[in-house]
Each structure stands twice: as structure tokens, then as C-alpha cells.
Amino acid sequence: MPATPTMPCDLNLYRNPRGRLVLTAPDGHVHEGVTPVRAFPLSAPDEGVSLVGPDGHELAWIDRLSALPEPVRQLLEQELAVRDFAPRIRRLLHVSSFATPSTWEVETDRGPARLLLRAEEDIRRLPDGGLLVTDGHGLHFRIDDLGALDKASRRMLDRFLA
């Protein structure tokens, strides 16, 4: 199996008129419909980004986004922002039960949401001190700072974290 090339800082990546990312490889081969994928989206979002072709095969590896020229970095960050959609929970409004499964009504940075917490393992602590909550449909919600939550939200959440 051939090694995946690490892309140099002069990465030739652009968005075509149809809005798709296009990568021109060092050998001149043009790949349309490239998707950037973070290797470590939670613990090291700036490190390790794979550029994957429409067939699912990795075309290139980027060690650090910060090493790229500004226009290319911004293009990739825009694309990754869409892919890494994870609403931030600002407040817990109501929980149906303090045992799982439990339905949560929350206020997020994207508006109100209702999520199903199937098991307590669906709440993961993150290296930055936040939490990642995965609902029954596989959607991810983040709580960046437990201390920033209001007292009632922290009290409800503490029942699940104990």
C-alpha cells in the first residue's frame, strides 16, 4: 500500500463554481469533491487533517492547519466547521428522568433542542474540561464550560455525572 503524501505548505486547493473542494496533487492529478477530515477533532483540532477523495481514499495528509497559507487554511476551516457541527448547550431546561434513558430539553447556541440520552456513557469528559453529549440519534452536543452553566443546569447535570 503506498504511503499517503504529506502536503507541503503550497497546497493547491480551491473551491470550484459548484462549491466543491478541488485538490491538485503534486503529480498534476485533479481531485474534485475532496473532503477534509480531522484525525483528532476534540483533543487536537489543528493537528492531523486528512483530505479524502469522493471514493473514501485518503489523498493527502496535513500535519498542522496553522502551517498552511492563510487562504488555504481558511478554506479548510470553513469546510471543517460545516462537518464538525456540534451545538453548544447553554442551559438544561428539563430532564424527564435522572435515570437513563432520559429526554433532555436544552437551550443551545443554535436554539432549543430535545435530545435522548440513552445511557450515562453518552456523556464524555473532554481533555479541555468540557463535556460531549451524544443523543440517541448520534448528534453531538458540547458543554464547553461546566462553571458557565446556571445553577439549575449544573444541579441537573451533576445527577448524571455522579
Side-chain angles (χ1 to χ4, degrees):
M1 174 182 238
T4 302
T6 298
M7 297 309 290
C9 288
D10 61 345
L11 181 67
N12 189 352
L13 186 72
Y14 63 94
R15 192 177 303 281
N16 71 12
R18 291 183 287 166
R20 299 180 67 173
L21 286 183
V22 178
L23 169 71
T24 303
D27 66 1
H29 192 88
V30 176
H31 303 275
E32 184 176 335
V34 173
T35 303
V37 179
R38 293 184 203 269
F40 308 103
L42 301 174
S43 60
D46 186 52
E47 297 175 21
V49 175
S50 176
L51 297 180
V52 179
D55 61 357
H57 288 92
E58 185 174 81
L59 302 170
W61 178 259
I62 300 167
D63 290 326
R64 289 183 133 336
L65 284 175
S66 59
L68 295 173
E70 187 68 18
V72 173
R73 185 183 57 75
Q74 284 182 352
L75 184 62
L76 284 172
E77 286 178 346
Q78 288 170 359
E79 195 73 17
L80 288 163
V82 172
R83 184 173 174 81
D84 295 343
F85 175 75
R88 287 356 191 216
I89 294 176
R90 292 183 176 159
R91 254 181 0 142
L92 278 74
L93 304 171
H94 176 74
V95 295
S96 65
S97 168
F98 290 110
T100 55
S102 177
T103 301
W104 291 15
E105 292 178 25
V106 299
E107 178 184 305
T108 74
D109 61 344
R110 313 256 190 212
R114 177 179 277 197
L115 58 114
L116 173 67
L117 187 72
R118 291 185 295 183
E120 291 170 3
E121 296 81 38
D122 291 340
I123 303 173
R124 286 190 9 224
R125 292 188 186 272
L126 299 174
D128 63 6
L131 297 174
L132 183 68
V133 181
T134 305
D135 84 341
H137 301 291
L139 296 175
H140 297 287
F141 294 80
R142 284 190 56 116
I143 299 175
D144 291 325
D145 181 4
L146 296 173
L149 292 174
D150 63 275
K151 189 174 184 177
S153 296
R154 283 194 313 266
R155 194 171 27 248
M156 282 187 262
L157 191 57
D158 283 345
R159 302 287 279 303
F160 291 93
L161 296 175

